[in-house]
Amino acid sequence: MKEFNVNPSAAGERKLYIETYGCQMNVADSEVVASIMEMDGYGQCGTPEDADAVLLNTCSIRDNAEQKVRETMGAVHGFRSDDKSGVYIWNRFNNYLQAMSANEILSMSVWIIGLLTLLSGIVGVSNIMFVSVRERTHEIGIRRAIGAKPRSILMQIVAESVAITTLFGYIGVVFGTGVTAVIAKLTEGTDFLKNPTVDLSTALNVTIVLIIAGAFAGLFPAIKATKVKPVEALRDE
């Protein structure tokens, strides 16, 4: 701890007491503050009891920083250091940590909701393709009968699934981009949700995810289509 008493205050001058905890950087900051306060008519004094203004400079991440502040303020104003109602302390570092924790929880929630939404979409597209394969059994049987290879049928079903997933996925992306653009306009100039818009890299990542999801959704219906026997398929009405 370092106490400043460089320029003792003159008679009738407002008095300033500075107490500094921490590293040399904090000491330098206190010297700057003392110079600024001196230009505003404050002279230095040696004890907090004699001061008109008391400044305590400490690192918010330093151990027991708040407790040291409470002890000093308690000695000046006559309250116990463990009395939380005696003085209100706004710790920006603790609030920053709480905000970061809240952002992490929000980000994790968004990821979970997004994954569940994607999973439900995959299941929905897969069911659509199963129905499509069932309704086109006769067509698949004809193609198999004239020499179509199972691979070509599999690729067709997977391609259709990818097309459906990508099309409706991009409809959702366009809608989401519009919503984020509106949010960005409403929160412009504030610290809340800075730049929530969708950039090009995000759009490319979404494209890759949609292609993979579409391929996965159509894989099992496509495998079922390749197992259709031509004779049984031709009998299907």
Side-chain angles (χ1 to χ4, degrees):
M1 181 188 76
K2 182 174 181 179
E3 299 177 1
F4 286 87
N5 192 18
V6 180
N7 298 317
S9 61
E13 189 179 41
R14 289 179 294 180
K15 301 175 183 179
L16 171 68
Y17 174 80
I18 300 180
E19 193 170 295
T20 304
Y21 299 95
C23 59
Q24 188 62 33
M25 184 180 296
N26 285 6
V27 176
D29 291 340
S30 295
E31 292 175 350
V32 172
V33 171
S35 301
I36 295 174
M37 296 296 288
E38 185 177 356
M39 291 187 293
D40 199 38
Y42 282 87
Q44 305 261 335
C45 67
T47 60
E49 290 80 6
D50 297 331
D52 296 302
V54 177
L55 298 180
L56 303 177
N57 184 8
T58 181
C59 298
S60 61
I61 59 175
R62 185 177 173 86
D63 293 340
N64 301 322
E66 287 191 18
Q67 184 61 28
K68 292 177 180 178
V69 172
R70 292 184 185 277
E71 289 173 357
T72 302
M73 296 300 293
V76 174
H77 296 284
F79 62 85
R80 295 177 56 182
S81 60
D82 58 351
D83 184 6
K84 300 298 182 181
S85 63
V87 59
Y88 173 74
I89 296 179
W90 173 265
N91 193 323
R92 294 184 62 185
F93 182 74
N94 285 344
N95 284 289
Y96 170 77
L97 292 179
Q98 292 174 2
M100 291 296 295
S101 177
N103 286 334
E104 289 178 359
I105 294 174
L106 179 61
S107 178
M108 185 178 298
S109 300
V110 171
W111 272 102
I112 292 174
I113 293 172
L115 290 174
L116 291 177
T117 303
L118 181 62
L119 181 61
S120 63
I122 291 175
V123 172
V125 172
S126 183
N127 288 333
I128 292 173
M129 298 310 300
F130 271 118
V131 173
S132 176
V133 169
R134 179 68 184 87
E135 292 179 349
R136 295 160 62 185
T137 302
H138 192 73
E139 173 191 336
I140 294 172
I142 294 175
R143 292 188 59 192
R144 291 293 306 275
I146 62 177
K149 295 182 178 179
R151 180 180 177 183
S152 65
I153 296 174
L154 186 144
M155 294 299 296
Q156 178 186 354
I157 302 299
V158 171
E160 291 177 2
S161 176
V162 170
I164 293 173
T165 305
T166 305
L167 174 62
F168 289 98
Y170 263 105
I171 292 175
V173 170
V174 171
F175 177 77
T177 301
V179 172
T180 55
V182 173
I183 294 175
K185 190 66 177 179
L186 295 176
T187 59
E188 186 176 1
T190 65
D191 293 332
F192 179 70
L193 291 179
K194 287 186 177 179
N195 190 24
T197 55
V198 179
D199 55 15
L200 181 60
S201 62
T202 303
L204 293 176
N205 291 334
V206 168
T207 302
I208 295 173
V209 171
L210 288 175
I211 292 174
I212 295 175
F216 185 76
L219 181 61
F220 295 103
I223 293 175
K224 180 181 179 181
T226 59
K227 294 181 179 179
V228 173
K229 297 180 180 180
V231 177
E232 295 178 359
L234 290 173
R235 293 175 181 171
D236 187 77
E237 295 294 338

